[in-house]
């Protein structure tokens, strides 16, 4: 038993729903009690889908348990086929139905439905949402894919995009257009917008482009083994990774790796002098492994941030994540406990958090800038505008969305110069975020304990042996809030290294000189 | 209905009972508002990852950064040995209580999986009470989907609290149902102005203000889904005051009048106290009724508020209900409401696909439904009001009557505003 306040992933049958809802012509009959239909709202509200997810919930009640839940399931499955006439059906159990062991797959097969029926076996008490999506996509592909000849022209499939994914819709569009520029046709993109008939002709492609290992890797591996289709390993998030991806695809397809980069603006936006102030900003990165690892590379190599924390919530990807973190001199944080993530963030004292909706809440509480880079998602992660994370346009989008939460470059200088200014002061926050603007507190040198100071105090508690003399403490408060945590941390680190226990103004400035870049 | 026939409403209307897929929440959802209402309470769901995910999704992905609810997620080893599961649960509770010393009331909430494996939470609650009482009170109830529908979770929670309420012989009035604090204050003020003393509320905001109950207690419900709580109070000897529910000017007046009668309040006093707010409520509702009058209304079953709200929308806003669905129909509590509700189709339970067929055929002007259906119906060209707002918004009593009508008129006004835009 594990006490959870918030979860990064839903149960595995929600993963199966993400696949069923992404596809067309599939229907999912889910043996489940009343209440499990809440999952519909994830798609209709958060993603604003204009159709109900293609899911029939059997809705058994306590009174059915002693009686005949099996017949209830069969009636629901038959009724769902008659009403929706799907090309293929998936059947399975939610967590409660798993306990009553009705065997949805066996029951459905007795109905002799005139369409393929794919049973799902998703262990609800040991696995989670991503596993459920990955497994469902694999089960459908295994059941439906037919051996067929390769297309005459070079083509590929795009694998892994689901409903409720982080920017999947736009990523698929962006990568499709990139592949088209390279002269490669997309045979099938799946699960998103694919039909069972499309899955049948997956083997016609020459190779596979795997965009989301969390939800598509098992299928990519199976297609490689069974149908001899190699798949891409590079996730094209960021300018560098997109170029690597192009090279990888070019090699697989035997085409030129020369792609027009006219619309890639991010490298210049990053190199232009206004961005100088981004240098070495401390960034903490957490999300699903794929997005987090890709974000770390962009953060360090394309924007010039310092990655001070890196981790993921999906344990299945712990190994590549640990290896990636080493490259940044970090120990990866593998955890699905958001309190643990919060503690790690406090200890790392970042200036920017790149995370999920969970980290957005942590950031809000701690008063740290934050941008969302990964699922779990909320309604604001489905913007109306075209907003991919992948490809060259994706690189542009990353620059904009990560920089937006920060104080602007010149504004930083004003804050540094005029710390007690009525307009540019700690509590005001970035000037382009209207909601935060507040009048300057009367006693600027003794700010009321806000989230930022609480964070600093927490960091201070970690450095238990050190003692800040009042003058040094006062001097520290003159440093603008967005670098104060870094200054405190550096000073304490410096003091600890020098064996100093009492921090004076001199220690502060010695540390500043020591760490000067 | 001809004008000279006395209205008998829907008292004798046959009810369409359906059994199939239900598009409603389970009783766990009530935790979302109960934990805000009871500020020293923690709700610990004993369930699966699905339960945790439901609470998080229904709460709009963590709008409350520091929740006073959580889920003890059952894992495979808990299913293997129940004895260990009890121990594990007690260990989790100990850890929770030591970390959150502000907790005075702890609710162990059963779920579908815990009910199916027959995890006995009452035993755990008993043991924990022996250890932590009286400073922490531990209750248990079931919010499982196999037993409870959406708002029934609040009923189960309040009913679980009743046996533990202190005994009193005083003449008291108990107002039952979780209300937003501002509404509770308004209610108390109206009752006080009528000279009614010894008013208390269930649930109270803090454990230390818990109401007392006894044979001289009269109680009245503010929510139509509190049948088990009413029975539990009656078992303690309290007497229920029968009334329609305090939605809209009429509902509020009838509700207050029923209380006033039982307390021997003079008619002049009653009129003096209610005249001004009644006029305000009528005026506020009238502004929205202009939009709503003559429009047809279809209500999918959701919060159990459907019948009282249909009554309000029909009688005070001039709407024409074409089907009023309710998760379950409790005639004992609903009688005064049914008598007032103009003739319409009543349905109980749900087969959502069949109901959607009826809905499509009727093409109502306004549809009230849950979050899973709202956008699909909106996209199909129907104006919808998502029902969950009705339990998350202050809607009871006079001063909220206009806001309540506004919840229904806004989708229609919005549609009119967006006319011509691409849909």
């Amino acid at each position: 038993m594990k006490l959870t306040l918030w979860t990064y992933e839903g149960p595995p049958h929600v993963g199966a729903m993400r696949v069923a809802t992404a596809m067309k012509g599939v229907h999912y009959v889910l043996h489940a009690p009343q209440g499990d239909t809440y999952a519909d709202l994830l798609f209709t509200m958060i993603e604003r889908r204009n159709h109900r997810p293609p899911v029939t919930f059997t809705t058994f009640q306590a009174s059915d348990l002693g009686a005949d839940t099996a017949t209830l399931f069969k009636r629901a499955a038959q009724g769902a086929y008659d009403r929706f006439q799907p090309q293929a059906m998936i059947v399975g159990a939610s967590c409660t139905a798993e306990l009553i062991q009705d065997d949805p797959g066996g029951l459905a097969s007795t109905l002799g439905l005139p369409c393929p029926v794919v049973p799902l076996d998703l262990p609800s008490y040991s696995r989670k949402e991503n596993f459920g999506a990955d497994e469902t996509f694999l089960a459908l592909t295994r059941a439906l894919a037919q051996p067929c000849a390769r297309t005459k022209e070079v083509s590929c499939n795009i694998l892994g995009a689901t409903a409720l994914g982080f920017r999947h819709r736009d990523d698929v569009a962006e990568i499709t257009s990139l592949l088209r520029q390279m002269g490669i046709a997309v045979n099938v993109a799946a699960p998103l917008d694919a039909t069972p008939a499309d899955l049948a002709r997956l083997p016609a492609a020459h190779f596979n482009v795997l965009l989301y290992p969390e939800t598509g890797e098992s299928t990519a591996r199976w297609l490689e083994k069974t149908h001899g289709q190699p798949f891409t390993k590079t996730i094209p998030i960021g300018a560098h990774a997109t170029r690597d991806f192009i090279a990888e695809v070019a090699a697989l397809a035997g085409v030129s790796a020369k792609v027009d980069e006219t619309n890639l603006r991010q490298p210049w936006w990053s190199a232009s002098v206004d961005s100088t102030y981004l240098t070495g900003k401390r960034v903490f990165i957490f999300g699903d492994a794929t997005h987090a690892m890709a974000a770390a590379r962009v953060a360090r190599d394309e924007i010039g941030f310092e990655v001070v924390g890196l981790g993921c919530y999906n344990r299945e990807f712990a190994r590549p994540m640990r290896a990636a973190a080493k490259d940044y001199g970090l120990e990866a944080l593998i955890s699905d406990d958001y309190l643990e993530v919060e503690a790690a963030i406090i200890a790392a004292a970042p200036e920017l958090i790149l995370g999920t909706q969970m980290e957005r809440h942590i950031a809000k509480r701690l008063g740290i800038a934050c941008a969302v880079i990964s699922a779990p998602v909320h309604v604001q992660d489905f913007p109306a505008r075209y907003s991919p994370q992948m490809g060259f346009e994706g690189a542009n989008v990353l620059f904009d969305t990560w920089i937006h939460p920060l104080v602007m470059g010149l504004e930083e200088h004003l804050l540094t110069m005029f710390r007690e200014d009525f307009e540019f002061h700690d509590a005001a926050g970035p000037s382009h975020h209207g909601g935060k603007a507040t009048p300057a507190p009367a006693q600027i040198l003794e700010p009321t304990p806000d989230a930022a100071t609480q964070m600093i105090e927490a960091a201070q508690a970690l450095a238990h042996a050190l003692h800040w003399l009042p003058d040094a403490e006062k001097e520290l408060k003159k440093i603008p809030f967005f670098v104060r945590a870094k200054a405190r941390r550096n000073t304490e680190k410096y003091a600890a290294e020098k064996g100093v226990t009492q921090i004076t103004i001199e220690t502060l400035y010695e540390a500043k000189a020591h760490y000067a870049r | 209905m001809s004008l000279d026939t006395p209205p008998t409403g829907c008292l004798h209307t046959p009810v369409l009972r359906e059994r199939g897929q239900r598009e409603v929440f389970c009783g766990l959802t009530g935790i979302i508002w109960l934990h805000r209402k009871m500020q020293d309470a923690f709700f610990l769901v004993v369930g699966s990852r699905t339960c945790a995910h439901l609470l998080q999704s229904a709460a709009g992905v963590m709008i409350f950064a520091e929740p006073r609810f959580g889920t003890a997620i059952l894992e495979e080893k808990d299913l293997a040995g129940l004895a260990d599961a009890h121990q594990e649960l007690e260990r989790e509770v100990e850890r929770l209580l030591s970390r959150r010393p502000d907790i005075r009331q702890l609710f162990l909430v059963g779920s579908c999986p815990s009910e199916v494996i027959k995890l006995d939470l009452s035993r755990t609650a008993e043991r924990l009470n022996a250890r932590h009482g009286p400073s922490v009170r531990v209750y248990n109830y079931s919010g499982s989907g196999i037993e409870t529908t959406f708002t029934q979770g609040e009923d189960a929670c309040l009913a679980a609290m009743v046996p533990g309420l202190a005994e009193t012989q005083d003449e008291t009035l108990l107002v039952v149902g979780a209300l937003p604090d501002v509404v509770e204050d308004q209610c108390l003020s109206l009752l006080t102005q009528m000279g009614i003393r010894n008013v208390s509320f269930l649930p109270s905001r803090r454990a230390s203000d818990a109401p007392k109950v006894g044979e001289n207690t009269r109680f009245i419900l503010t929510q139509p889904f509190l049948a088990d709580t009413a029975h539990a109070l009656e078992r303690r000897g309290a007497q229920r005051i029968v009334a329609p529910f305090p939605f809209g000017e009429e509902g509020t007046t009838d509700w207050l009048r029923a209380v006033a009668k039982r307390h021997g309040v003079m008619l002049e006093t009653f009129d003096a106290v209610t005249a001004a707010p009644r006029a305000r409520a009528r005026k506020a509702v009238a502004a929205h009724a202009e939009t709503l009058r003559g429009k047809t209304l279809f209500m999918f079953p959701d919060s159990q508020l459907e019948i009282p709200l249909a009554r309000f929308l029909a009688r005070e806003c001039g709407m024409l209900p074409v089907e009023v669905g309710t998760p379950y129909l409790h005639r004992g509590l609903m009688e005064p409401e049914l008598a007032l509700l103009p003739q319409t189709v009543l349905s109980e339970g749900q087969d959502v696909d069949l109901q959607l067929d009826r809905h499509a055929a009727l093409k109502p002007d306004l549809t009230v439904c849950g979050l899973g259906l709202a956008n699909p119906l909106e996209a199909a060209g129907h104006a919808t009001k998502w029902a969950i707002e009705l339990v998350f918004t202050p809607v009871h009593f006079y001063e909220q009557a206009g806001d309540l009508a506004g919840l229904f008129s806004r989708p229609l006004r919005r549609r009119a505003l967006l006319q011509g835009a691409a849909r």
Side-chain angles (χ1 to χ4, degrees), chain A residues 222-359:
Chain A
W222 183 83
L223 286 169
E224 181 176 53
K225 204 175 90 197
T226 315
H227 294 279
Q229 293 169 318
F231 65 93
T232 56
K233 311 293 190 297
T234 313
I235 307 302
I237 294 180
H240 296 183
T242 300
R243 288 181 188 133
D244 292 352
F245 172 80
I246 290 168
E248 192 184 5
V249 165
L252 283 173
V255 298
S256 157
K258 225 175 129 49
V259 171
D260 174 35
E261 292 193 1
T262 313
N263 291 325
L264 173 63
R265 285 175 286 271
Q266 182 249 48
W268 168 242
W269 254 242
S270 195
S272 64
V273 293
D274 184 79
S275 297
T276 313
Y277 79 106
L278 300 172
T279 312
K281 276 206 185 297
R282 300 168 59 83
V283 55
F284 189 100
I285 301 172
F286 195 83
D288 69 33
T290 297
H291 284 89
M293 290 189 296
R297 184 176 175 192
V298 175
R300 184 184 64 183
D301 300 345
E302 299 178 29
I303 305 189
F305 288 152
E306 182 190 355
V307 179
V308 296
L310 179 59
C312 66
Y313 54 82
N314 46 338
R315 206 163 283 280
E316 293 93 335
F317 287 72
R319 192 181 297 173
M321 174 53 87
R322 287 208 174 94
K326 243 186 219 123
D327 192 31
Y328 299 88
L330 296 168
E331 184 77 33
L333 173 65
I334 315 288
S335 173
D336 62 352
D337 180 346
Y338 88 105
L339 292 172
E340 208 178 310
V341 178
E342 182 173 61
I345 289 175
I346 290 171
E351 293 154 85
L352 174 68
I353 300 171
L354 301 176
T356 72
Q357 283 293 328
M358 307 289 211
E359 285 66 46

Side-chain angles (χ1 to χ4, degrees), chain A residues 4 7 40 44 64 83 361, chain B residues 19 23 56 62 71 357 375:
Chain A
T4 306
T7 72
D40 281 358
T44 63
D64 300 318
R83 175 171 286 267
H361 279 82
Chain B
R19 182 64 216 282
E23 197 69 29
Q56 173 166 332
M62 312 187 18
T71 308
D357 289 346
N375 265 336

